[in-house]
Amino acid sequence: MKKCLMLIIAIFIIGGCSTQEVPDTNELFLIPNGFEGTITVFYNVTDTPVLEKEGKYSVIPVIEASLKQLEGTNINRYGVYLTSSLFRFDEGATISNKYFYVDEKGKRTAIDEKCTYYASTGSFTLDNGKELNYQTIQVTNSQCGQDFYFDGEDRYEIQEREVLKYWKEQAE
């Protein structure tokens, strides 16, 4: 009986040690009204603002930009934001982000989650040894649905590769 009790206690102790609560991502994206495409957020960028907080959410005010390498295509406009905040994404975290379109007057319109795709996270090391982390998402207002939510859009993946290539060259 004593051995059985000790075994049960050991199972609870081991089980309790292995279950760590993983925080949610809690990011709030403010996206220019009507934007469709890839949004890339770069973290740990020197001389850029830290992410402001709105309640428990880190606010990411996306800026729309144009990539010369993609001129003449329908994917030359992309979204970007650079911050000195450190990137934190814990394996197994629940993606609890919120996405809003914002008009010229600052009015927010919620974007349905089926119009978003969490594309990727990653990093690259610069020549000076500094590591820049990034995350990319895709947003649409014309192809919303389960397919977009789970797989994104192929042309935005091309856009993502070109944007990352461009910013890596700029940072070095």
Side-chain angles (χ1 to χ4, degrees), residues 72-169:
T73 70
N74 62 354
I75 57 171
N76 68 312
R77 305 290 299 166
Y78 68 98
V80 66
Y81 190 72
L82 286 71
T83 179
S84 57
S85 296
L86 298 177
F87 181 68
R88 107 172 165 36
F89 183 82
D90 298 313
E91 191 69 36
T94 300
I95 298 173
S96 57
N97 298 341
K98 293 184 178 183
Y99 306 92
F100 292 91
Y101 279 127
V102 181
D103 68 14
E104 307 80 38
K105 295 179 182 177
K107 181 180 178 231
R108 297 179 185 181
T109 304
I111 299 173
D112 186 290
E113 72 175 6
K114 297 286 192 236
C115 301
T116 65
Y117 170 65
Y118 197 89
S120 67
T121 61
S123 66
F124 47 84
T125 305
L126 305 176
D127 291 340
N128 65 6
K130 184 175 182 176
E131 184 175 21
L132 288 183
N133 300 96
Y134 63 86
Q135 70 171 322
T136 60
I137 64 165
Q138 295 178 12
V139 176
T140 186
N141 57 26
S142 62
Q143 298 177 344
C144 301
Q146 189 170 342
D147 288 343
F148 187 85
Y149 180 72
F150 286 115
D151 299 320
E153 173 65 39
D154 290 342
R155 65 189 169 121
Y156 298 153
E157 288 179 25
I158 295 167
Q159 183 184 44
E160 175 187 344
R161 283 193 299 272
E162 290 300 317
V163 167
L164 291 174
K165 181 179 164 185
Y166 168 77
W167 281 97
K168 183 175 182 183
E169 290 169 359

